[in-house]
């Protein structure tokens, strides 16, 4: 069966959607504290850290970025683009950049530095200055872009009035996650391994 890039993009999105549901559920569990997050993370990893599934996930993200780039190039040739089409395009670009950077950073942290990419891996970027001033909008933009991209795709396929107001779900979802990881809801003290990792990271930035 032959699939065009748009159809393939949707099929891969369905597969990745299962992971993203688990991923965001884990992030939201951080509202209950570090132990709550650790329990949710352990449950999720029991499935997606299975070697075959992990390889398939990384391959799916890579394929989704490649397919997205193809679709953005096609959209650039269209003479007319409405607001939702532009939202779909630019949110897709933001997501593609985030996926490449975030996935690459997570894999390098695990394989090169043998660091557990747990709550503290994300929390370090949101509690340590000057990292938090860049990473807070970086993560926030990714969550907003994901919600925008999904709603734009849905609207283009089947328009509905509630799609516009539903865009508020992006910042509403991002804010509590950033507050939890950023130490605004409870104290966050990085373990020595993570503190050393971020000290090295900051050393590269100087």
């Amino acid at each position: 069966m032959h699939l065009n890039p748009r159809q393939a993009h949707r099929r891969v999105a369905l597969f990745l959607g299962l992971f993203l549901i688990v991923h965001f559920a884990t992030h939201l569990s951080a509202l209950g504290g570090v132990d709550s997050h650790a329990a949710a993370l352990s449950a999720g990893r029991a499935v997606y850290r299975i070697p075959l599934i992990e390889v398939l996930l990384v391959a799916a993200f890579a394929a989704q970025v490649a397919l997205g780039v193809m679709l953005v190039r096609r959209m650039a040739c269209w003479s007319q683009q409405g607001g939702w089409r532009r939202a779909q395009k630019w949110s897709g670009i933001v997501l593609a950049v985030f996926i490449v950077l975030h996935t690459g950073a997570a894999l390098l942290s695990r394989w090169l530095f043998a660091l557990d990419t747990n709550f503290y891996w994300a929390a370090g970027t949101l509690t340590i200055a000057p990292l938090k001033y860049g990473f807070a909008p970086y993560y926030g933009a990714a969550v907003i872009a994901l919600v925008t991209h999904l709603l734009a795709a849905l609207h283009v396929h089947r328009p509905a009035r509630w799609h516009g107001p539903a865009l508020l779900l992006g910042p509403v979802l991002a804010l509590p996650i950033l507050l939890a990881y950023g130490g605004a809801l409870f104290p966050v003290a990085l373990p020595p391994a993570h503190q050393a990792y971020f000290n090295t990271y900051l050393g590269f930035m100087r």
Side-chain angles (χ1 to χ4, degrees):
M1 180 176 62
H2 176 72
L3 296 176
N4 63 43
R6 186 174 300 280
Q7 291 172 323
H9 193 67
R10 289 175 181 171
R11 297 287 180 88
V12 176
L14 291 175
F15 172 67
L16 291 177
L18 298 174
F19 168 75
L20 290 175
I21 290 172
V22 174
H23 193 61
F24 273 93
T26 302
H27 282 320
L28 290 171
S29 72
L31 299 177
V34 178
D35 290 340
S36 174
H37 179 274
L41 184 65
S42 178
R45 284 179 172 179
V47 177
Y48 64 73
R49 282 284 181 91
I50 295 173
L52 176 59
I53 294 178
E54 188 168 23
V55 169
L56 288 174
L57 280 171
V58 173
F61 274 117
Q64 195 71 331
V65 170
L67 289 166
V69 170
M70 292 174 61
L71 293 173
V72 166
R73 292 180 64 182
R74 287 187 178 184
M75 292 175 71
C77 299
W78 295 353
S79 58
Q80 294 183 348
Q81 296 184 34
W84 282 103
R85 282 292 189 186
R86 289 195 295 271
Q88 186 180 26
K89 179 178 72 174
W90 287 107
S91 62
I93 291 172
V94 171
L95 284 174
V97 172
F98 180 81
I99 288 170
V100 172
L101 295 178
H102 188 65
T103 304
L107 294 177
L108 284 176
S109 295
R110 284 174 54 197
W111 297 342
L112 189 61
F113 295 94
L115 187 74
D116 188 358
T117 53
N118 55 14
F119 173 88
Y120 297 107
W121 181 71
T125 63
L126 294 171
T127 56
I128 299 175
L131 295 179
K132 60 183 180 181
Y133 304 120
F135 275 91
Y138 167 72
Y139 286 129
V143 176
I144 292 170
L146 177 61
V147 172
T148 301
H149 199 65
L150 293 174
L151 285 170
L154 183 61
H155 189 85
V156 168
H157 179 65
R158 185 173 296 177
R161 292 182 178 180
W162 63 268
H163 293 158
L167 290 171
L168 291 173
L169 181 61
V172 167
L173 183 60
L175 182 59
I177 294 174
L178 294 175
L179 291 176
Y181 283 92
L185 304 183
F186 47 83
V188 174
L190 299 183
H194 289 78
Q195 187 65 61
Y197 168 82
F198 285 108
N199 287 341
T200 302
Y201 190 98
L202 289 170
F204 286 135
M205 293 177 62
R206 297 190 181 99

